[in-house]
Amino acid sequence: MNSRLSVAAVSAVSLVALMGGTTVATAQESDPAPKSCDGVRLTGELPAPAPGQAVSGQITIGPDCEPELGSVRRGPASDRPARTAATATTTAAPTTAAAATAAATAAGHQLRGWNEMYDCCNIRMTGLYTASSWDTADGRVTTAGTTATQEWNREPWDAGWSLTSQTAKDDCATDCAEVNSEAHADFAYQGVFDPTGDWYDNTHHSYVQLTADGTASCRFDVELRHTFVGWNWRYGCE
């Protein structure tokens, strides 16, 4: 199955462009003065890898405020998404980590996804994570479920990012031809970089399709009210 990636840059007024490709992204700033950029919507779609493997992508906000698309990466799976959900140093949504762990061990097929936004200093600002599991028999998905966790960075003086809303749902749970799951999380920022709380807002979307033949696909979106040069979006599944 071929990988597909697309980038849509959205200004405050209208949709500007839709691009695709495999150019290598860079997080280096050419201008020594930090530069704020208008909002963007970034989209990535990946085929779920074989068991024990991981696939991921990255898009960076370049010096000209244009998204720079990196090549898709493949390699051995790690415990990164599970470890993030279970031992987060930032704030995480309550009760969801235990549910994600249970879901990942309950069925014959498992899939974990991550959808993260980092700043130019490599600090994770916001993230949405999913853990899916499903059983199959006789050409059907017999049981399935996806749980979601959310994480965000707080500043020491009780400021920073916060979760403002989150939803998750599956369109089918038992005896399904296929299962389509989606999770959404919206984060707002109020802190040292914007005391008003009106400038930054990150909204993450994750979509997973689970099929009766044991394969799956992952799609991710993030909407940013404003960005900064060097911000980078990382997403993937394993």
Side-chain angles (χ1 to χ4, degrees):
M1 183 174 182
N2 292 329
S3 301
R4 292 190 297 158
L5 299 173
S6 61
V7 180
V10 181
S11 71
V13 178
S14 62
L15 184 65
V16 176
L18 180 64
M19 300 174 290
T22 57
T23 56
V24 178
T26 174
Q28 298 299 316
E29 254 183 71
S30 61
D31 186 346
K35 184 177 181 180
S36 181
C37 308
D38 289 336
V40 298
R41 181 186 180 104
L42 307 174
T43 298
E45 182 172 351
L46 301 167
Q53 297 294 304
V55 59
S56 63
Q58 180 170 321
I59 299 175
T60 301
I61 304 301
D64 56 358
C65 289
E66 291 296 322
E68 298 180 346
L69 180 62
S71 58
V72 172
R73 300 179 180 89
R74 293 178 174 84
S78 69
D79 62 352
R80 173 185 173 280
R83 184 174 63 248
T84 299
T87 61
T89 56
T90 56
T91 306
T95 72
T96 52
T101 302
T105 58
H109 306 284
Q110 294 89 39
L111 181 71
R112 295 180 294 185
W114 59 94
N115 179 347
E116 301 175 312
M117 202 68 214
Y118 285 77
D119 69 11
C120 56
C121 298
N122 206 37
I123 296 172
R124 185 191 56 184
M125 298 178 287
T126 53
L128 173 62
Y129 308 88
T130 58
S132 304
S133 61
W134 71 109
D135 273 325
T136 60
D138 300 323
R140 304 284 290 179
V141 177
T142 55
T143 59
T146 296
T147 58
T149 60
Q150 310 82 28
E151 299 178 10
W152 54 95
N153 186 58
R154 295 293 292 171
E155 295 167 358
W157 38 87
D158 193 26
W161 290 94
S162 59
L163 179 70
T164 58
S165 68
Q166 62 87 21
T167 60
K169 66 178 183 180
D170 303 322
D171 68 351
C172 185
T174 58
D175 191 24
C176 314
E178 65 180 28
V179 178
N180 295 282
S181 303
E182 58 183 78
H184 311 274
D186 188 73
F187 303 89
Y189 176 85
Q190 186 172 15
V192 65
F193 297 103
D194 174 35
T196 70
D198 297 330
W199 193 252
Y200 297 110
D201 186 278
N202 295 352
T203 301
H204 295 253
H205 310 280
S206 293
Y207 305 89
V208 176
Q209 184 180 76
L210 313 173
T211 66
D213 65 2
T215 60
S217 63
C218 311
R219 180 167 60 87
F220 309 95
D221 296 284
V222 66
E223 300 171 61
L224 313 172
R225 182 183 294 167
H226 290 93
T227 67
F228 228 63
V229 165
W231 280 23
N232 59 94
W233 180 47
R234 305 176 193 178
Y235 54 93
C237 54
E238 65 179 24

